[in-house]
Amino acid sequence: YNAARMKARCPHCTQTVRYPDNTTPDLLLCSDCGHRIPEKSFKADTVVIDLRSHIPSEVAGYPVLDLIARGASGAVYRALDSKGRTIALKVLVADGKPDREAVVRFQREAQATMKLDHPHIVKVLDAGLAGKRHFIAMEYVEGESLRELIAKKEIDLRTAAAALRDIAKALAH
């Protein structure tokens, strides 16, 4: 556990950023987009689980390999299923205990996604509650995210248009 006492939402990219309470406001830059975060964006925070230093060895019987991504209310890990295949394991993690609304939203996401069958939407393999951890096990898709490609400026107009078309088809489904 990491005792971070300040958090802010970046007004440029909306990423939630956490800082130790001894950070000077004039030095606060978003770790995602690099923009300065105005002091008025800061709020007091509680004890936060630092997912980078606290990666569980397993969740719901799935051995965890490493952290793929972290968001404001969850983390996605690379893990293994019972046949040794790589999967993505999304785990609800919140500051302290997740509130009822976050749990309901997470469960609704799992139930809705399980019903979907589309080539541009990852398949949900399993979902539930293991101990105190709500999880969604999904197929793992290798490669860089669209955000990473755009940030590296390694995506041409034709590829971007094709990706946008595929995203629109998935959303329509």
Side-chain angles (χ1 to χ4, degrees), residues 97-139:
K97 182 180 174 190
D99 63 29
R100 175 100 180 106
E101 185 179 321
V103 170
V104 169
R105 233 183 3 257
F106 194 81
Q107 290 171 335
R108 194 176 315 131
E109 174 188 345
Q111 292 167 353
T113 311
M114 279 181 154
K115 296 175 185 175
L116 299 174
D117 185 20
H118 190 274
H120 301 298
I121 299 173
V122 296
K123 289 178 180 38
V124 171
L125 309 169
D126 187 16
L129 177 64
K132 294 182 180 181
R133 291 189 173 127
H134 296 270
F135 72 93
I136 302 172
M138 302 171 278
E139 68 179 325

Short mmCIF file of all heavy atoms in Angstrom, two decimals, residues 97-139:
data_model
loop_
_atom_site.label_atom_id
_atom_site.label_comp_id
_atom_site.label_asym_id
_atom_site.label_seq_id
_atom_site.Cartn_x
_atom_site.Cartn_y
_atom_site.Cartn_z
N LYS A 97 -12.08 0.28 -0.11
CA LYS A 97 -13.13 -0.65 -0.50
C LYS A 97 -13.96 -0.02 -1.63
O LYS A 97 -14.40 1.12 -1.50
CB LYS A 97 -14.02 -0.93 0.71
CG LYS A 97 -15.11 -1.92 0.44
CD LYS A 97 -15.94 -2.13 1.69
CE LYS A 97 -17.13 -3.02 1.38
NZ LYS A 97 -18.07 -3.06 2.47
N PRO A 98 -14.22 -0.75 -2.74
CA PRO A 98 -15.01 -0.17 -3.83
C PRO A 98 -16.44 0.12 -3.36
O PRO A 98 -17.01 -0.65 -2.60
CB PRO A 98 -15.00 -1.23 -4.92
CG PRO A 98 -14.52 -2.48 -4.29
CD PRO A 98 -13.80 -2.12 -3.03
N ASP A 99 -16.99 1.24 -3.82
CA ASP A 99 -18.36 1.56 -3.42
C ASP A 99 -19.36 0.72 -4.22
O ASP A 99 -19.03 0.13 -5.23
CB ASP A 99 -18.65 3.06 -3.55
CG ASP A 99 -18.55 3.58 -4.97
OD1 ASP A 99 -18.80 2.81 -5.92
OD2 ASP A 99 -18.24 4.77 -5.13
N ARG A 100 -20.55 0.67 -3.73
CA ARG A 100 -21.61 -0.16 -4.33
C ARG A 100 -21.83 0.18 -5.80
O ARG A 100 -21.99 -0.70 -6.63
CB ARG A 100 -22.91 0.04 -3.53
CG ARG A 100 -24.10 -0.66 -4.10
CD ARG A 100 -24.37 -1.96 -3.36
NE ARG A 100 -25.52 -2.63 -3.91
CZ ARG A 100 -25.44 -3.72 -4.66
NH1 ARG A 100 -24.28 -4.26 -4.92
NH2 ARG A 100 -26.52 -4.29 -5.13
N GLU A 101 -21.82 1.47 -6.12
CA GLU A 101 -22.03 1.91 -7.51
C GLU A 101 -20.94 1.38 -8.44
O GLU A 101 -21.23 0.93 -9.54
CB GLU A 101 -22.08 3.44 -7.56
CG GLU A 101 -22.42 3.98 -8.92
CD GLU A 101 -22.47 5.50 -8.92
OE1 GLU A 101 -22.97 6.09 -7.93
OE2 GLU A 101 -22.01 6.09 -9.91
N ALA A 102 -19.70 1.41 -7.99
CA ALA A 102 -18.59 0.90 -8.81
C ALA A 102 -18.73 -0.60 -9.04
O ALA A 102 -18.49 -1.09 -10.15
CB ALA A 102 -17.25 1.21 -8.15
N VAL A 103 -19.13 -1.33 -8.01
CA VAL A 103 -19.32 -2.78 -8.13
C VAL A 103 -20.45 -3.09 -9.11
O VAL A 103 -20.30 -3.94 -9.99
CB VAL A 103 -19.60 -3.42 -6.75
CG1 VAL A 103 -20.03 -4.87 -6.89
CG2 VAL A 103 -18.38 -3.29 -5.85
N VAL A 104 -21.57 -2.39 -9.00
CA VAL A 104 -22.71 -2.61 -9.90
C VAL A 104 -22.31 -2.30 -11.33
O VAL A 104 -22.62 -3.06 -12.26
CB VAL A 104 -23.93 -1.76 -9.46
CG1 VAL A 104 -25.02 -1.76 -10.53
CG2 VAL A 104 -24.48 -2.28 -8.14
N ARG A 105 -21.59 -1.21 -11.55
CA ARG A 105 -21.11 -0.84 -12.89
C ARG A 105 -20.21 -1.92 -13.46
O ARG A 105 -20.32 -2.31 -14.63
CB ARG A 105 -20.38 0.50 -12.82
CG ARG A 105 -20.86 1.52 -13.78
CD ARG A 105 -20.11 2.84 -13.78
NE ARG A 105 -18.98 3.00 -12.92
CZ ARG A 105 -18.97 3.66 -11.77
NH1 ARG A 105 -20.06 4.24 -11.32
NH2 ARG A 105 -17.88 3.77 -11.05
N PHE A 106 -19.31 -2.42 -12.64
CA PHE A 106 -18.36 -3.46 -13.06
C PHE A 106 -19.10 -4.75 -13.42
O PHE A 106 -18.83 -5.37 -14.45
CB PHE A 106 -17.34 -3.72 -11.94
CG PHE A 106 -16.14 -4.50 -12.35
CD1 PHE A 106 -15.09 -3.90 -13.00
CD2 PHE A 106 -16.05 -5.86 -12.06
CE1 PHE A 106 -13.96 -4.61 -13.38
CE2 PHE A 106 -14.94 -6.59 -12.43
CZ PHE A 106 -13.90 -5.97 -13.08
N GLN A 107 -20.06 -5.15 -12.59
CA GLN A 107 -20.84 -6.36 -12.87
C GLN A 107 -21.68 -6.19 -14.13
O GLN A 107 -21.80 -7.12 -14.93
CB GLN A 107 -21.74 -6.68 -11.67
CG GLN A 107 -20.96 -7.15 -10.46
CD GLN A 107 -21.83 -7.27 -9.21
OE1 GLN A 107 -22.87 -6.62 -9.08
NE2 GLN A 107 -21.38 -8.11 -8.28
N ARG A 108 -22.24 -5.01 -14.32
CA ARG A 108 -23.04 -4.73 -15.52
C ARG A 108 -22.16 -4.82 -16.78
O ARG A 108 -22.57 -5.36 -17.80
CB ARG A 108 -23.68 -3.35 -15.41
CG ARG A 108 -24.76 -3.12 -16.44
CD ARG A 108 -25.47 -1.78 -16.29
NE ARG A 108 -25.82 -1.46 -14.92
CZ ARG A 108 -25.56 -0.29 -14.32
NH1 ARG A 108 -24.96 0.67 -14.96
NH2 ARG A 108 -25.92 -0.09 -13.06
N GLU A 109 -20.94 -4.30 -16.68
CA GLU A 109 -19.99 -4.39 -17.80
C GLU A 109 -19.71 -5.85 -18.14
O GLU A 109 -19.73 -6.25 -19.31
CB GLU A 109 -18.68 -3.69 -17.44
CG GLU A 109 -17.61 -3.86 -18.49
CD GLU A 109 -16.24 -3.34 -18.06
OE1 GLU A 109 -16.15 -2.59 -17.05
OE2 GLU A 109 -15.25 -3.68 -18.73
N ALA A 110 -19.48 -6.67 -17.13
CA ALA A 110 -19.18 -8.09 -17.35
C ALA A 110 -20.37 -8.79 -18.01
O ALA A 110 -20.20 -9.51 -18.99
CB ALA A 110 -18.84 -8.77 -16.02
N GLN A 111 -21.57 -8.57 -17.48
CA GLN A 111 -22.76 -9.23 -18.02
C GLN A 111 -23.05 -8.79 -19.45
O GLN A 111 -23.36 -9.62 -20.32
CB GLN A 111 -23.98 -8.94 -17.13
CG GLN A 111 -23.88 -9.60 -15.78
CD GLN A 111 -24.91 -9.06 -14.79
OE1 GLN A 111 -25.63 -8.10 -15.07
NE2 GLN A 111 -24.95 -9.67 -13.61
N ALA A 112 -22.93 -7.50 -19.72
CA ALA A 112 -23.22 -6.98 -21.06
C ALA A 112 -22.19 -7.49 -22.07
O ALA A 112 -22.54 -7.93 -23.18
CB ALA A 112 -23.23 -5.46 -21.05
N THR A 113 -20.91 -7.47 -21.68
CA THR A 113 -19.86 -7.90 -22.60
C THR A 113 -19.92 -9.39 -22.88
O THR A 113 -19.61 -9.83 -23.98
CB THR A 113 -18.47 -7.49 -22.04
OG1 THR A 113 -18.51 -6.12 -21.65
CG2 THR A 113 -17.39 -7.66 -23.08
N MET A 114 -20.35 -10.18 -21.90
CA MET A 114 -20.46 -11.63 -22.10
C MET A 114 -21.46 -11.96 -23.21
O MET A 114 -21.33 -12.98 -23.88
CB MET A 114 -20.90 -12.33 -20.82
CG MET A 114 -19.80 -12.56 -19.86
SD MET A 114 -20.46 -13.43 -18.40
CE MET A 114 -19.00 -14.25 -17.85
N LYS A 115 -22.45 -11.11 -23.41
CA LYS A 115 -23.49 -11.36 -24.40
C LYS A 115 -23.04 -10.99 -25.82
O LYS A 115 -23.72 -11.35 -26.78
CB LYS A 115 -24.75 -10.55 -24.06
CG LYS A 115 -25.39 -10.97 -22.77
CD LYS A 115 -26.56 -10.05 -22.43
CE LYS A 115 -27.14 -10.39 -21.07
NZ LYS A 115 -28.19 -9.45 -20.68
N LEU A 116 -21.95 -10.27 -25.94
CA LEU A 116 -21.51 -9.78 -27.24
C LEU A 116 -20.64 -10.79 -27.97
O LEU A 116 -19.77 -11.42 -27.37
CB LEU A 116 -20.75 -8.46 -27.08
CG LEU A 116 -21.53 -7.31 -26.46
CD1 LEU A 116 -20.62 -6.12 -26.23
CD2 LEU A 116 -22.72 -6.93 -27.33
N ASP A 117 -20.87 -10.91 -29.26
CA ASP A 117 -20.05 -11.77 -30.11
C ASP A 117 -19.77 -10.99 -31.38
O ASP A 117 -20.62 -10.89 -32.27
CB ASP A 117 -20.78 -13.08 -30.41
CG ASP A 117 -19.89 -14.04 -31.21
OD1 ASP A 117 -18.66 -13.87 -31.19
OD2 ASP A 117 -20.45 -14.95 -31.83
N HIS A 118 -18.60 -10.38 -31.44
CA HIS A 118 -18.22 -9.53 -32.57
C HIS A 118 -16.71 -9.61 -32.74
O HIS A 118 -15.98 -9.65 -31.74
CB HIS A 118 -18.67 -8.09 -32.31
CG HIS A 118 -18.55 -7.20 -33.48
ND1 HIS A 118 -17.39 -6.53 -33.79
CD2 HIS A 118 -19.45 -6.87 -34.45
CE1 HIS A 118 -17.58 -5.82 -34.89
NE2 HIS A 118 -18.82 -6.01 -35.31
N PRO A 119 -16.21 -9.62 -33.98
CA PRO A 119 -14.76 -9.74 -34.18
C PRO A 119 -13.93 -8.58 -33.62
O PRO A 119 -12.73 -8.73 -33.41
CB PRO A 119 -14.61 -9.83 -35.70
CG PRO A 119 -15.90 -9.37 -36.28
CD PRO A 119 -16.95 -9.60 -35.23
N HIS A 120 -14.56 -7.43 -33.35
CA HIS A 120 -13.81 -6.28 -32.84
C HIS A 120 -14.08 -6.00 -31.36
O HIS A 120 -13.80 -4.91 -30.86
CB HIS A 120 -14.09 -5.05 -33.69
CG HIS A 120 -13.73 -5.24 -35.12
ND1 HIS A 120 -12.44 -5.50 -35.53
CD2 HIS A 120 -14.48 -5.27 -36.23
CE1 HIS A 120 -12.42 -5.65 -36.83
NE2 HIS A 120 -13.64 -5.53 -37.29
N ILE A 121 -14.66 -6.98 -30.67
CA ILE A 121 -14.89 -6.87 -29.23
C ILE A 121 -14.29 -8.11 -28.57
O ILE A 121 -14.58 -9.23 -28.98
CB ILE A 121 -16.41 -6.79 -28.91
CG1 ILE A 121 -17.03 -5.56 -29.58
CG2 ILE A 121 -16.63 -6.75 -27.40
CD1 ILE A 121 -18.55 -5.49 -29.45
N VAL A 122 -13.45 -7.89 -27.56
CA VAL A 122 -12.83 -9.03 -26.89
C VAL A 122 -13.90 -9.89 -26.23
O VAL A 122 -14.92 -9.38 -25.77
CB VAL A 122 -11.77 -8.63 -25.83
CG1 VAL A 122 -10.60 -7.94 -26.48
CG2 VAL A 122 -12.36 -7.80 -24.73
N LYS A 123 -13.67 -11.18 -26.22
CA LYS A 123 -14.62 -12.12 -25.61
C LYS A 123 -14.35 -12.25 -24.11
O LYS A 123 -13.21 -12.36 -23.70
CB LYS A 123 -14.49 -13.49 -26.27
CG LYS A 123 -15.01 -13.50 -27.69
CD LYS A 123 -14.83 -14.87 -28.32
CE LYS A 123 -15.33 -14.94 -29.73
NZ LYS A 123 -15.13 -13.81 -30.59
N VAL A 124 -15.42 -12.21 -23.34
CA VAL A 124 -15.31 -12.44 -21.91
C VAL A 124 -15.38 -13.94 -21.67
O VAL A 124 -16.28 -14.62 -22.15
CB VAL A 124 -16.43 -11.71 -21.13
CG1 VAL A 124 -16.44 -12.11 -19.67
CG2 VAL A 124 -16.26 -10.20 -21.26
N LEU A 125 -14.40 -14.46 -20.95
CA LEU A 125 -14.31 -15.90 -20.69
C LEU A 125 -14.91 -16.27 -19.34
O LEU A 125 -15.43 -17.37 -19.16
CB LEU A 125 -12.85 -16.34 -20.74
CG LEU A 125 -12.07 -15.89 -22.00
CD1 LEU A 125 -10.59 -16.14 -21.84
CD2 LEU A 125 -12.63 -16.58 -23.22
N ASP A 126 -14.82 -15.36 -18.38
CA ASP A 126 -15.25 -15.65 -17.02
C ASP A 126 -15.39 -14.31 -16.29
O ASP A 126 -14.76 -13.32 -16.66
CB ASP A 126 -14.17 -16.51 -16.34
CG ASP A 126 -14.56 -17.04 -14.97
OD1 ASP A 126 -15.76 -17.00 -14.63
OD2 ASP A 126 -13.66 -17.49 -14.23
N ALA A 127 -16.22 -14.28 -15.28
CA ALA A 127 -16.36 -13.07 -14.46
C ALA A 127 -16.94 -13.49 -13.11
O ALA A 127 -17.60 -14.52 -13.00
CB ALA A 127 -17.28 -12.06 -15.13
N GLY A 128 -16.66 -12.69 -12.10
CA GLY A 128 -17.22 -13.01 -10.80
C GLY A 128 -16.51 -12.31 -9.67
O GLY A 128 -15.85 -11.29 -9.87
N LEU A 129 -16.63 -12.90 -8.50
CA LEU A 129 -16.03 -12.38 -7.29
C LEU A 129 -15.17 -13.49 -6.69
O LEU A 129 -15.64 -14.60 -6.46
CB LEU A 129 -17.12 -11.97 -6.29
CG LEU A 129 -16.68 -11.47 -4.93
CD1 LEU A 129 -15.88 -10.17 -5.06
CD2 LEU A 129 -17.90 -11.25 -4.04
N ALA A 130 -13.89 -13.20 -6.49
CA ALA A 130 -12.96 -14.16 -5.88
C ALA A 130 -12.41 -13.51 -4.62
O ALA A 130 -11.64 -12.57 -4.70
CB ALA A 130 -11.85 -14.50 -6.85
N GLY A 131 -12.84 -14.01 -3.48
CA GLY A 131 -12.46 -13.36 -2.23
C GLY A 131 -13.12 -12.00 -2.18
O GLY A 131 -14.34 -11.90 -2.22
N LYS A 132 -12.32 -10.95 -2.17
CA LYS A 132 -12.86 -9.59 -2.19
C LYS A 132 -12.61 -8.92 -3.54
O LYS A 132 -12.80 -7.72 -3.66
CB LYS A 132 -12.22 -8.78 -1.07
CG LYS A 132 -12.60 -9.27 0.31
CD LYS A 132 -11.98 -8.39 1.37
CE LYS A 132 -12.38 -8.90 2.75
NZ LYS A 132 -11.84 -8.08 3.80
N ARG A 133 -12.17 -9.68 -4.52
CA ARG A 133 -11.82 -9.09 -5.81
C ARG A 133 -12.85 -9.43 -6.88
O ARG A 133 -13.07 -10.59 -7.20
CB ARG A 133 -10.45 -9.58 -6.27
CG ARG A 133 -9.32 -9.05 -5.43
CD ARG A 133 -7.99 -9.40 -6.09
NE ARG A 133 -6.91 -8.77 -5.39
CZ ARG A 133 -5.86 -9.43 -4.93
NH1 ARG A 133 -5.75 -10.72 -5.12
NH2 ARG A 133 -4.91 -8.79 -4.31
N HIS A 134 -13.44 -8.39 -7.45
CA HIS A 134 -14.32 -8.56 -8.61
C HIS A 134 -13.42 -8.62 -9.83
O HIS A 134 -12.50 -7.80 -9.96
CB HIS A 134 -15.29 -7.38 -8.71
CG HIS A 134 -16.23 -7.29 -7.56
ND1 HIS A 134 -17.44 -7.93 -7.55
CD2 HIS A 134 -16.12 -6.67 -6.36
CE1 HIS A 134 -18.04 -7.69 -6.40
NE2 HIS A 134 -17.26 -6.94 -5.66
N PHE A 135 -13.68 -9.57 -10.74
CA PHE A 135 -12.80 -9.73 -11.89
C PHE A 135 -13.58 -10.05 -13.15
O PHE A 135 -14.71 -10.53 -13.10
CB PHE A 135 -11.78 -10.84 -11.63
CG PHE A 135 -12.40 -12.22 -11.65
CD1 PHE A 135 -12.42 -12.98 -12.82
CD2 PHE A 135 -12.99 -12.75 -10.51
CE1 PHE A 135 -13.02 -14.23 -12.84
CE2 PHE A 135 -13.58 -14.00 -10.52
CZ PHE A 135 -13.60 -14.74 -11.69
N ILE A 136 -12.94 -9.76 -14.29
CA ILE A 136 -13.43 -10.16 -15.60
C ILE A 136 -12.23 -10.75 -16.34
O ILE A 136 -11.23 -10.07 -16.53
CB ILE A 136 -14.00 -8.97 -16.40
CG1 ILE A 136 -15.13 -8.27 -15.65
CG2 ILE A 136 -14.48 -9.45 -17.78
CD1 ILE A 136 -15.61 -6.98 -16.31
N ALA A 137 -12.34 -12.01 -16.74
CA ALA A 137 -11.28 -12.67 -17.53
C ALA A 137 -11.68 -12.58 -18.99
O ALA A 137 -12.78 -12.96 -19.36
CB ALA A 137 -11.12 -14.13 -17.10
N MET A 138 -10.78 -12.05 -19.82
CA MET A 138 -11.07 -11.83 -21.24
C MET A 138 -9.95 -12.39 -22.11
O MET A 138 -8.84 -12.61 -21.62
CB MET A 138 -11.15 -10.32 -21.52
CG MET A 138 -12.17 -9.58 -20.72
SD MET A 138 -12.01 -7.79 -20.92
CE MET A 138 -10.69 -7.45 -19.76
N GLU A 139 -10.27 -12.57 -23.39
CA GLU A 139 -9.22 -12.97 -24.30
C GLU A 139 -8.17 -11.86 -24.34
O GLU A 139 -8.49 -10.69 -24.15
CB GLU A 139 -9.77 -13.27 -25.70
CG GLU A 139 -10.29 -12.07 -26.44
CD GLU A 139 -10.79 -12.41 -27.83
OE1 GLU A 139 -10.22 -13.29 -28.48
OE2 GLU A 139 -11.76 -11.78 -28.26
#
